[in-house]
Amino acid sequence: MKIFFLTFLLILTLLFSGCEKESDKIVIGFFGALTGTEATFGVSSRNGITLALEELNSEGGLLGKKVELKTYDTLGSLEETKLSVERLIKTDDVVAVIGEVASSRSLVAAPIAQSHRIPMVTPSSTNPEITQVGDYIFRVCFIDPFQGEVMAKFAFHSLKLKKAAVLRDTQSQYSVGLANYFIKTFTSLGGTILADENYISGDVEFQSQLLKIRKKKPEFIFVPGYYSEVAMISRQSKDLGFTGPLMGGDGWDDLKNLSAIAGDSINGSYFSNHYTLENPDPEVQKFITVFEKRFGVKPDSQAALGYDAARIIFDAIRRAKSIENQKIRDALSETKDFKGITGTISINQNRDAVKPAVVLQVKKNNFSFVETVGP
Ligand code: PHE
């Protein structure tokens, strides 16, 4: 009898210490496309977040606790994004979530995080509407009205180009928004839009749109899409004899896949981005070295933004001295002059980060720095 009682006590003690161990750590969630045509986005961001987390935990964690990352693959789907965020909040008991990369999916996630009052930081979704969903939604990247303006001014002033065509993905809120912001600035400067054509995510044939565009003889085509489609559009436009450059935004950032599909056709084209490997800042160079050593590839902008997103959350928790959601939210909103890899981050009253963009040119299938444009 006594032995039974002792065993019972032992089990209780073990159970209890198990529970205590659970609350001994802080869990942060990440949801992103780890598979599909935008897999680079999720994998890179997750790697950036993982590096930030490993560095933090090796220095003792946060508020005396280890920090753990719980990750879900959104498969690049809206439905799976919804399920991922719900799981993170309801089952995994996260104190904050990081995600998604793509704007359309962040727009699905934001209302869920907001309704549960769980701070959400998107590392890289640039559509302005996301943070307007509510006071728990933040980002560490610039927004598309700025990005569109950067490329319009670059084309008009730096390259002296006056005649553009636009080819946008109507299924992506990012692409539609960025196309509109680009057109707004470009036409206000005195440029003309000769054609405005559409495609949808997953398309592989762009001939009919490109033929219509070619007939209008634009000097360049603005393609604010994601790398998989952009690469095919680039190749097919050259096959049809279009000789001008393509231009676009941060969605182009996957050098490997862009080059693999587009080949030589993409050389000479330009896009705006969050960061460049050529930044001589010692802290940026240190990040690049450490990241490459850890993951075997150089960090792209999603990796750098993932790293920054995780670190502004750590910084907020440290300042809040608490993992209470409202306190984390308040601390996040007070983020000022945080030295990130993608620039100095200050969160404004819209919960957006105000920071510069870089213009890159694809040269010899490499991204080559052209200029930095301040906000
Ligand atoms: N800005 C894009 C969007 O909002 C996502 C993206 C960011 C893609 C950075 C590549 C690099 O959908």
Side-chain angles (χ1 to χ4, degrees):
M1 189 63 204
K2 202 168 174 191
I3 197 105
F4 274 123
F5 183 69
L6 281 178
T7 321
F8 180 66
L9 260 189
L10 188 72
I11 289 174
L12 261 190
T13 325
L14 278 177
L15 270 180
F16 241 85
S17 63
C19 287
E20 270 191 351
K21 231 185 186 164
E22 278 298 301
S23 60
D24 255 3
K25 58 190 182 204
I26 297 174
V27 187
I28 289 176
F30 170 67
F31 57 102
L34 301 168
T35 49
T37 50
E38 284 125 40
T40 308
F41 294 171
V43 172
S44 289
S45 324
R46 186 198 52 195
N47 289 347
I49 299 165
T50 302
L51 182 61
L53 208 88
E54 288 171 354
E55 290 177 355
L56 177 84
N57 284 332
S58 75
E59 286 156 13
L62 271 181
L63 315 178
K65 296 177 180 188
K66 289 271 183 250
V67 180
E68 199 180 277
L69 185 70
K70 184 80 196 176
T71 297
Y72 288 110
D73 181 0
T74 63
L75 312 172
S77 114
L78 297 181
E79 183 53 27
E80 201 56 35
T81 299
K82 186 170 163 270
L83 295 174
S84 302
V85 181
E86 280 170 352
R87 244 177 258 142
L88 286 170
I89 296 174
K90 293 183 190 160
T91 317
D92 302 310
D93 213 14
V94 295
V95 302
V97 292
I98 304 175
E100 233 264 7
V101 172
S103 289
S104 301
R105 295 193 284 275
S106 287
L107 279 163
V108 166
I112 304 170
Q114 178 66 33
S115 72
H116 291 275
R117 296 173 167 265
I118 291 294
M120 165 175 147
V121 179
T122 171
S124 41
S125 289
T126 44
N127 185 285
E129 285 166 35
I130 297 158
T131 46
Q132 290 162 18
V133 167
D135 59 347
Y136 275 76
I137 317 298
F138 297 84
R139 79 178 102 220
V140 288
C141 53
F142 52 65
I143 56 174
D144 289 332
F146 170 63
Q147 185 169 207
E149 188 185 317
V150 164
M151 283 319 274
K153 286 186 175 162
F154 175 74
F156 193 87
H157 292 309
S158 303
L159 301 180
K160 312 253 177 283
L161 302 178
K162 310 275 147 47
K163 291 181 285 179
V166 172
L167 182 50
R168 61 173 95 193
D169 176 354
T170 50
Q171 219 159 58
S172 150
Q173 262 132 318
Y174 157 74
S175 189
V176 171
L178 187 50
N180 291 340
Y181 299 121
F182 166 81
I183 291 172
K184 193 170 162 221
T185 308
F186 194 67
T187 51
S188 79
L189 291 171
T192 343
I193 306 296
L194 299 175
D196 189 348
E197 293 291 327
N198 298 332
Y199 66 92
I200 58 170
S201 316
D203 278 359
V204 291
E205 291 289 348
F206 304 90
Q207 267 96 346
S208 71
Q209 297 97 315
L210 289 168
L211 281 171
K212 282 190 216 154
I213 288 174
R214 193 182 67 177
K215 230 190 246 157
K216 300 283 174 63
K217 298 196 170 53
E219 291 164 304
F220 69 100
I221 313 174
F222 188 65
V223 193
Y226 295 142
Y227 61 87
S228 297
E229 285 93 359
V230 169
M232 289 185 267
I233 291 168
S234 168
R235 180 172 277 271
Q236 291 173 29
S237 72
K238 291 292 178 291
D239 287 349
L240 291 175
F242 182 75
T243 51
L246 302 189
M247 291 195 210
D250 55 350
W252 284 30
D253 190 0
D254 177 343
L255 182 61
K256 202 167 139 234
N257 283 303
L258 196 62
S259 301
I261 303 167
D264 187 43
S265 71
I266 194 73
N267 287 321
S269 288
Y270 298 91
F271 68 106
S272 45
N273 207 357
H274 304 270
Y275 121 116
T276 165
L277 293 167
E278 292 173 64
N279 186 340
D281 183 313
E283 280 179 49
V284 175
Q285 287 305 320
K286 187 177 148 226
F287 166 75
I288 294 169
T289 310
V290 173
F291 185 97
E292 194 176 11
K293 205 167 151 217
R294 172 70 175 81
F295 298 105
V297 285
K298 288 203 160 50
D300 53 21
S301 68
Q302 303 107 62
L305 287 166
Y307 186 79
D308 285 349
R311 292 183 68 236
I312 74 153
I313 295 177
F314 303 159
D315 175 63
I317 294 177
R318 216 175 273 128
R319 281 185 288 111
K321 298 189 184 65
S322 161
I323 52 165
E324 225 176 277
N325 40 357
Q326 193 179 344
K327 293 201 174 133
I328 299 179
R329 193 224 77 88
D330 290 348
L332 273 172
S333 74
E334 284 155 14
T335 302
K336 207 173 174 307
D337 298 330
F338 181 88
K339 180 97 179 49
I341 296 301
T342 59
T344 301
I345 299 166
S346 292
I347 298 294
N348 69 8
Q349 76 276 19
N350 301 323
R351 295 166 300 283
D352 297 327
V354 184
K355 53 212 277 261
V358 293
V359 177
L360 305 179
Q361 184 178 29
V362 192
K363 259 190 193 164
K364 296 190 183 147
N365 290 101
N366 232 309
F367 293 160
S368 164
F369 173 74
V370 180
E371 62 179 38
T372 300
V373 183

